[in-house]
Amino acid sequence: MLLSSTELSEQLSRLNGWDVVEGELQKTYRLETFPEAIQFVHLVADLAESLDHHPNILIEYRNVTLTVSTHDEGGITEKDIMLAKGCEELV
Ligand code: HBI
């Protein structure tokens, strides 16, 4: 079920650096090196598989941008928040 704008604002306030971009949750992580960026992407991939919830991943040298929404619902749900919170624990 889609989060209401109030719920979304509340959840965003508990996350660090995540924004809503064109209706999707997005954050760019700036890692120290390219290998570290790839290592981080591997961890995100494992987390996504464990949640069966997958972000779009853009790798630009040492910057990794994650963009996620719940395709099945056409917007942002608790599943997206869960993934974002999990990603926060990876760095
Ligand atoms: N990942 N971001 C995202 N959104 C979805 O709706 C989604 C997914 N990964 C798998 C998936 N849906 C479905 O195939 C399973 O939930 C059944």
Side-chain angles (χ1 to χ4, degrees):
M1 185 169 83
L2 294 179
L3 293 180
S4 68
S5 55
T6 309
E7 289 164 332
L8 185 51
S9 300
E10 193 182 281
Q11 292 289 355
L12 278 176
S13 68
R14 295 203 194 105
L15 290 168
N16 176 28
W18 288 81
D19 294 304
V20 177
V21 177
E22 295 176 5
E24 297 192 282
L25 217 44
Q26 184 174 90
K27 177 172 180 176
T28 296
Y29 288 83
R30 287 171 175 71
L31 287 302
E32 289 300 314
T33 64
F34 178 71
E36 279 187 42
I38 299 304
Q39 195 173 16
F40 173 65
V41 168
H42 276 296
L43 294 174
V44 172
D46 291 344
L47 173 64
E49 277 297 288
S50 71
L51 296 175
D52 190 25
H53 204 66
H54 307 82
N56 291 344
I57 302 174
L58 176 64
I59 302 167
E60 297 169 289
Y61 179 40
R62 61 184 187 165
N63 297 327
V64 176
T65 299
L66 304 178
T67 306
V68 63
S69 63
T70 303
H71 311 143
D72 299 346
E73 302 281 338
I76 298 171
T77 69
E78 191 56 42
K79 288 183 176 180
D80 304 303
I81 301 296
M82 287 292 290
L83 182 68
K85 284 178 178 172
C87 291
E88 291 297 290
E89 291 165 17
L90 298 176
V91 288

